[in-house]
């Protein structure tokens, strides 16, 4: 049986080629890659203070999120950085 990480670790993940996702982050374990559940692509930031504003205060009324379920982060070299979220 595979154990799933159920910690509340919401993060914004910035990938190469301009992709930005937000969701529940599950760290890589052994040969299994990191992944996001309840993931959304942040299509439009809708902020005046960048991604940090979303991480600290949650999406604004102008933020556009596209739901995409689970995002596998199976190529760590494509991850530029992550931002832990307060909300």
């Amino acid at each position: 049986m595979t154990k799933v990480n159920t910690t509340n670790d919401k993060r914004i993940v910035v990938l190469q080629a301009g992709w930005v996702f937000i969701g529940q982050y599950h760290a890589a374990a052994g040969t299994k890659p990191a992944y996001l559940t309840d993931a959304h692509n942040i299509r439009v930031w809708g902020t005046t203070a960048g991604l940090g504003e979303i991480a600290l205060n949650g999406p604004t009324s102008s933020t556009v999120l596209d739901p995409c379920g689970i995002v596998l982060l199976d190529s760590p070299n494509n991850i530029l950085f992550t931002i832990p979220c307060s909300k």
Side-chain angles (χ1 to χ4, degrees):
M1 177 189 257
T2 302
K3 184 176 179 183
V4 176
N5 177 354
T6 58
T7 61
N8 187 12
D9 189 6
K10 190 172 188 179
R11 292 191 196 186
I12 295 172
V13 178
V14 179
L15 304 173
Q16 289 184 4
W19 289 97
V20 181
F21 294 94
I22 188 169
Q24 295 299 319
Y25 181 80
H26 303 270
T31 60
K32 298 189 184 295
Y35 60 97
L36 295 173
T37 55
D38 191 27
H40 292 76
N41 172 254
I42 304 176
R43 182 165 29 112
V44 177
W45 296 2
T47 67
T48 57
L51 288 173
E53 182 178 342
I54 295 172
L56 292 173
N57 303 317
T60 71
S61 60
S62 300
T63 301
V64 178
L65 300 174
D66 298 320
C68 51
I70 296 172
V71 175
L72 291 178
L73 303 170
D74 58 353
S75 184
N77 293 335
N78 288 334
I79 300 172
L80 298 177
F81 59 93
T82 69
I83 304 170
C85 296
S86 300
K87 297 197 175 200

